[in-house]
Structures are given as C-alpha cells and as structure tokens.
Amino acid sequence: MSDDRKQYAAACHCGTVRFHVRLTDEFNTIRRCTCSYCRMRGAIAASAALSDIEFEAGEDNLTLYQFNTGTAKHYFCKTCGIYTHHQRRSNPNQFGINVACIDGVSPFDFAAVEVMDGVSHPADSSAGPRIAGILRFEPAT
C-alpha cells in the first residue's frame, strides 16, 4: 500500500533535532489548547500518527517533560529549548507536531485556529473534546 501523503521536513530552532513527518490530514487538524501548559507554550500543533515521524538527527538531544497525569509526553531540543512535538493525552496514538518546526510553515499562516478545552480535558469526562474558542490572526495592511 502506498502512502501519498506529503512528507514534511522539520527541525528545532538550532537544527540539532531534524525529522520528517507525514500529517494525519495535512493542516486540517491544527489546534491549540487551554490547559495550563499549552497556554504558556502557545504553539499550534498538527496531528501525526506515532509511526509517521522519522528522525534524521538529534533524537538523542530531545528532553521530555510530563506533568499532571503524566500521560502526555512533551519533547524539546536540549540545545535551543524549542518544543518540537508531543504525544497526546487525548489520543496517545498521535503526536502533536509544532507547525513552526515544519520547513516553510509559520503559525501566522493560519487565519483561524481552533482552541480545544484542555482545562476540562476530554480524557477526564465522557463529554468528549470541546472547542473553547477560535484564535484568529489578521495581518495588518
């Protein structure tokens, strides 16, 4: 079976951590989150299956941060501190990929980004995922 999805090159700020990734549904899965950690981090993430990330270099230079339930695994470059990806608590079979790490992509490329309610996390109730709001970017003219 062939995989026709585009493969993206990605890296941290200093270039020590480099990887290729195939997104689950291109950039249609972009989102932010309202949990205490994501609020402070501020990154936009796109979804990828765990098997769809391949490290070219620097995987050994990643550091791991976990908090609260310890389910989500947040990865950062030890050298420059940039968050590259995380294994999701809401779906441990997926990574959230920092779109700013993908070559040629900026968080400001997206006019509107769904913000998921991470304070009332879907894993903590039977209610399921809830959109808390929409983050908008409108370039100045």
Side-chain angles (χ1 to χ4, degrees):
M1 177 185 243
S2 72
D3 191 341
D4 294 336
R5 291 175 300 151
K6 182 175 179 178
Q7 186 177 56
Y8 294 93
C12 64
H13 188 260
C14 69
T16 300
V17 177
R18 294 188 312 275
F19 57 98
H20 290 92
V21 64
R22 283 189 168 88
L23 301 177
T24 303
D25 188 18
E26 293 302 312
F27 294 100
N28 296 315
T29 62
I30 60 167
R31 63 181 122 174
R32 289 200 41 193
C33 173
T34 63
C35 81
S36 61
Y37 189 66
C38 291
R39 249 189 343 257
M40 295 180 94
R41 179 177 63 202
I44 295 173
S47 299
L50 298 183
S51 60
D52 284 336
I53 189 169
E54 181 182 325
F55 287 90
E56 183 181 315
E59 186 174 12
D60 60 341
N61 201 56
L62 288 169
T63 190
L64 171 67
Y65 177 70
Q66 294 174 276
F67 72 104
N68 193 17
T69 66
T71 304
K73 297 175 181 174
H74 305 267
Y75 295 95
F76 299 82
C77 173
K78 290 179 190 177
T79 305
C80 66
I82 292 297
Y83 148 72
T84 54
H85 66 291
H86 72 283
Q87 187 173 3
R88 290 201 158 117
R89 178 177 178 222
S90 60
N91 183 348
N93 296 315
Q94 286 185 336
F95 283 127
I97 306 296
N98 179 355
V99 299
C101 290
I102 298 173
D103 288 355
V105 178
S106 166
F108 304 110
D109 292 341
F110 308 102
V113 177
E114 287 184 347
V115 180
M116 305 307 293
D117 183 358
V119 173
S120 302
H121 198 279
D124 296 334
S125 73
S126 60
R130 185 179 85 77
I131 297 172
I134 304 291
L135 182 69
R136 300 195 187 284
F137 176 74
E138 187 175 317
T141 54

